[in-house]
Amino acid sequence: MHKDASLTLGESSAPPRPDIQSALFLDVDGTLLEIAARPELVLVPKDLPAQLARLSVQREGALALISGRPLAQLDRLFQPWRGAAAGLHGLERRRADGVVDRVLDRNSAMALERLRPKLAALAASESGLRLEDKGGTLALHYRAVPHREAEIRALAEALRRDAGSVLRLIPGKMVVEFQPRSANKGQAIAAFLAEPPFTGRRPVFIGDDTTDEDGFVEIRRRGGIGIRVGLPCPTAAGYCLPNVTAVLAWLARSGLP
Ligand SMILES: [Mg+2]
């Protein structure tokens, strides 16, 4: 199979044991949590918030969630833990000192404003579609009608073209998401690494989906460790783990002799 310099296949080896000197960046759905039929139905293992707190303390706070969910949802899911986190693929970012940066630019906000009613009308006309309005991004879920994937993606791409170049369309697992080009997971990781306590640490990023590839590219550029979760697929990550259970088991080894 063809392999170019920027692309590896995620069938490579399991990652080395977690290092407490690293900066840890973690996607949420499909990485720390099993994907549910709807985003609000995910189950958080009882001990996971305490586990995140432990991993963060081991690294003097150099742990951040890097998710497509809004920060408010991440805080609800992982309460009482409330550490560094990027929400909406980096449009919202809470630094380790608790300060929140929001980076939605005016052109992107206006493009989303124009797109919102069109997507709402599309979702209302088809029983299997559901629009998730995250404010800074718009996600169209089609988990109930997976056989129509090609048609829905083509419709979404046409809407994206109408919306202009400030938005990009990210295909995910049974979802397409319209996102401002001004933010992505790679930029969020870079922003954290420019600040204490992340600066100077070797970055590790674990993710499972298309939007995580921006993060893997950034990690690769910095000589860090990228870990893609799931079946082997084209990825910029150098390592893979098969599923959420394996991720949690790998993280649990952090700090052990
Ligand atoms: Mg994910």
Side-chain angles (χ1 to χ4, degrees):
M1 195 173 290
H2 176 71
K3 242 175 154 173
D4 72 36
S6 63
L7 209 65
T8 59
L9 296 174
E11 59 203 337
S12 52
S13 53
R17 141 196 312 267
D19 177 358
I20 62 168
Q21 305 302 329
S22 62
L24 202 46
F25 298 102
L26 303 169
D27 169 55
V28 173
D29 294 81
T31 297
L32 294 177
L33 304 179
E34 300 287 357
I35 290 176
R38 293 204 307 275
E40 62 272 27
L41 298 180
V42 288
L43 295 175
V44 179
K46 187 163 79 333
D47 57 348
L48 186 53
Q51 167 80 323
L52 291 177
R54 185 180 76 89
L55 293 165
S56 179
V57 167
Q58 281 178 345
R59 291 163 177 76
E60 300 174 326
L63 176 149
L65 301 178
I66 308 286
S67 176
R69 288 180 184 263
L71 282 182
Q73 278 186 23
L74 296 176
D75 289 344
R76 247 192 328 273
L77 287 173
F78 296 107
Q79 59 184 323
W81 185 79
R82 209 183 149 97
L88 301 179
H89 312 276
L91 286 171
E92 306 177 320
R93 194 173 68 85
R94 182 169 58 230
R95 304 179 340 198
D97 64 7
V99 173
V100 176
D101 287 336
R102 291 196 165 80
V103 296
L104 182 59
D105 62 284
R106 185 173 158 72
N107 286 342
S108 299
M110 284 167 54
L112 288 167
E113 202 56 52
R114 288 191 298 271
L115 180 59
R116 191 169 273 119
K118 297 181 194 173
L119 282 179
L122 178 62
S125 70
E126 304 280 346
S127 59
L129 296 181
R130 198 173 65 81
L131 175 62
E132 184 186 6
D133 187 343
K134 304 184 190 178
T137 72
L138 296 167
L140 188 65
H141 295 267
Y142 54 87
R143 191 166 289 275
V145 286
H147 55 284
R148 296 184 50 205
E149 177 165 71
E151 174 200 348
I152 291 161
R153 287 191 175 194
L155 270 172
E157 184 50 48
L159 286 170
R160 209 281 313 154
R161 277 198 302 274
D162 284 351
S165 60
V166 291
L167 299 185
R168 63 177 185 165
L169 186 66
I170 301 287
K173 293 177 179 170
M174 301 295 154
V175 63
V176 284
E177 187 157 2
F178 298 80
Q179 299 173 13
R181 278 188 203 278
S182 52
N184 67 52
K185 289 189 172 188
Q187 290 170 8
I189 288 171
F192 280 119
L193 287 168
E195 303 162 351
F198 295 91
T199 308
R201 291 172 173 267
R202 187 181 191 199
V204 175
F205 176 46
I206 316 179
D208 72 306
D209 209 346
T210 321
T211 59
D212 299 312
E213 290 298 325
D214 294 315
F216 294 135
V217 169
E218 184 64 27
I219 291 290
R220 174 171 286 242
R221 204 171 66 73
R222 294 168 177 268
I225 293 176
I227 305 170
R228 173 117 183 190
V229 184
L231 297 171
C233 65
T235 176
Y239 298 94
C240 75
L241 286 168
N243 50 39
V244 170
T245 305
V247 172
L248 298 179
W250 186 79
L251 289 170
R253 291 168 58 206
S254 177
L256 296 181

